[in-house]
Amino acid sequence: MSWIMELKLYDTLTREKRVFVPLDPARVRMYVCGPTVYDFAHIGNARPVIVFDVLFRLLRHIYGADHVTYVRNITDVDDKINARAAERGISIRDLTEETYKNFKADIEALGCLPPTVEPRATEHIDAMKVLIERLVAGGHAYVEQDHVLFSVPSMPDYGQLSKRPLDEMIAGARVEVAPYKKDAQDFVLWKPSKPGEPAWPSPCGIATPGRPGWHIECSAMSWKHLGETFDIHGGGIDLVFPHHENEIAQSRCAFHTGVMANYWMHNGFLQVEGEKMSKSLGNFVTIHALLADWPGEVLRLNMLRTHYRQPIDWTVKGLEESWKTLDDWYMVAADASGTLVSGHVLEALSDDLNTPQAIAALHGLRNRAQSGDRLAADELASSLRFLGFLRESAADWAARRQAGRDIDVSKVQVLIDARTAARKAKNFAESDRIRDELAAMGVVLKDSKDGTTWEIAR
Ligand code: AMP
Ligand code: ZN
C-alpha cells in the first residue's frame, strides 16, 4: 500500500458518498457489467469502460497492483446475438469472437488496462444452473412452462437499489408481462430455446433444452470469480433497474447474504450533440468510427472531463478542445520522466473519482512546468501516465496531428460538386449542410463568379 488515503465512493444503494473499506485489502474485488457482443460498441458503452478503468488504476495505486481483482464479463448469449448471426449468415461463435476482438482493440486504443478476468457467459452455464437450483430449493424460484422464474414476492426487501414504487416496477420498460409468471414482477432465470437457438440441458428436471436469462449471468460470474460478497459492482445508470436489482435478488437469496456488493457505482448517460444517441436519429457513433478521426487519448480525455455521475454531452467542439489540451500536455511533459503521481490528482480521484478536479490539478502542474519547474513537469508526466495518457512519444503525437490534417482531396471535390448542384436546385438547407460538413473536415470554401475554391482552415 503506497500510503493510507481515504477513498470515498458514491454508493447508489445508500445514496451517499461513503469511505471505501474493502472486505480484504489484500484482495480488493470489483465487478463491472461488460458488453453484449453482437456489434461494434458505441461511444456510450465506452463510458463505463473508461470510468472503471480509472477506478481500477486508483485501487491498484492504493492497495497494490497484485491486490485488486477486476472482473468485466462478456455477454455472449443473448437474443440480439442470435438475430444478428442469422442476419449475417455466420455462426454465433464467429460473431461473438469477431465482436469481442473489435471491442478489445477499441478499448485498448482508449488506454484502458485489461481487467484481471473477462469471463464469458457461455463458459459459466453450470454455475448459473447451480444458482438456479438453489433458488428453487430455497423457495425463491419456481418452474412454469419450461421456464424458471425468480419469485419477487419471496424476497421481502426486493427493490432497495432502485427504490422504485411497486406499480412503476410492474409497468417498467424492461419488465415483461407473460402467462408463465405468477407475479408480474417475477423475472426469467432460465427459458426454453427454440430449434436453432443456442441451448444447454436445462436445470430443475425441465426436459426442453434452454438458455439463461440475462441477470443470472452476472450473479454466476461474480460468484465464481469474486465470491458470494465482494466490494464494488459497477455499470451504467440504465442497469440499476432491472438488471442490478435482479442480480442482488438472485445472489442474496442464493447465498443468504445481506449484501451482494458493498458499493454500487453507476455512470451517467452519454448523449451526442445534445440529443439521445440512437440509430434512428443518425447520431449513433461507434468507438471504432471515432478512432478513425481522433486519437484514443482524445476520446479518453474528453470522457473524463465530465464527472462520471453527471450526464455527458459528446460534441465535436469538446473533442477539439480535448485534442488541444493533449497537444499542450505532450509538448510540456512528454519528455519528462517522473515516478511520483501528484498528490492533488490522487486527492481529487479519491473524492468519488472527481476527474474534472484532477484535470484542473494537471493544468496547474502544466503552468508550473511551462515556467521551467522541472519537478512539476515530472509530476505532470507521471500523473498523466498514471491516468492512461502520454502513451506515445512527443514526435509520434505531433506526426499524428499532422496526419489528422491530411485532407482527402477527391472527397472534398465530390462534396463541393454536390453543394454546387444543391445551390442550383435552390436547396439551400442541403448546400449549407455540405458547407458545414466540409468545415468540420477543416475545409473553408470561397465562392466567386468563377466557381468555388477551397483552402485548409488555419
Ligand atoms: P449494453 O451492451 O447495452 O448492456 O451496455 C454496456 C454498458 O454500457 C452498460 O454498462 C451500459 O450501462 C453502458 N451504456 C450503454 N449506453 C450508454 C450511454 N449512452 N451512456 C453511458 N453508458 C451507456
Ligand atoms: Zn451484469
Side-chain angles (χ1 to χ4, degrees), residues 31 33-34 73 214-215 218 233 239 243-244 247:
Y31 185 94
C33 296
N73 73 288
W214 171 34
H215 317 304
C218 289
H233 193 315
L239 299 186
H243 186 53
H244 289 168
E247 279 187 36

Side-chain angles (χ1 to χ4, degrees), residues 33-36 42 44-45 47-48 214 235-239 267-270 277:
C33 296
T36 304
H42 59 66
N45 300 137
R47 196 170 191 196
W214 171 34
I237 190 84
D238 58 319
L239 299 186
N267 63 269
F269 244 48
L270 174 147
M277 182 168 44

Side-chain angles (χ1 to χ4, degrees), residues 204-376:
C204 312
I206 298 168
T208 319
R211 61 190 195 279
W214 171 34
H215 317 304
I216 196 73
E217 294 177 10
C218 289
S219 284
M221 288 185 271
S222 59
W223 171 43
K224 277 290 146 187
H225 298 280
L226 299 175
E228 296 180 357
T229 298
F230 50 94
D231 297 301
I232 300 169
H233 193 315
I237 190 84
D238 58 319
L239 299 186
V240 170
F241 184 84
H243 186 53
H244 289 168
E245 196 74 85
N246 292 350
E247 279 187 36
I248 292 175
Q250 295 162 161
S251 296
R252 283 189 47 206
C253 291
F255 307 127
H256 307 288
T257 47
V259 291
M260 178 184 186
N262 279 325
Y263 302 82
W264 287 84
M265 295 179 65
H266 295 96
N267 63 269
F269 244 48
L270 174 147
Q271 53 172 19
V272 171
E273 306 283 356
E275 286 190 89
K276 186 176 180 300
M277 182 168 44
S278 82
K279 290 213 163 115
S280 59
L281 286 173
N283 64 353
F284 187 90
V285 254
T286 63
I287 305 169
H288 185 74
L290 283 165
L291 285 170
D293 294 332
W294 309 89
E297 289 187 25
V298 169
L299 306 185
R300 183 176 179 93
L301 177 61
N302 203 47
M303 199 67 91
L304 295 177
R305 284 168 59 186
T306 304
H307 186 263
Y308 78 94
R309 283 196 283 124
Q310 299 299 319
I312 182 169
D313 190 22
W314 190 263
T315 63
V316 168
K317 183 167 164 281
L319 286 166
E320 278 162 358
E321 288 165 4
S322 299
W323 199 337
K324 282 210 182 88
T325 300
L326 277 160
D327 280 345
D328 187 50
W329 286 344
Y330 261 93
M331 219 151 58
V332 177
D335 298 326
S337 59
T339 50
L340 190 73
V341 180
S342 152
H344 291 299
V345 168
L346 291 172
E347 209 177 296
L349 297 178
S350 301
D351 180 15
D352 191 32
L353 291 190
N354 193 337
T355 52
Q357 200 184 311
I359 290 166
L362 293 171
H363 286 310
L365 281 172
R366 178 258 173 220
N367 291 341
R368 283 170 42 207
Q370 178 80 350
S371 50
D373 182 339
R374 269 321 295 172
L375 285 178

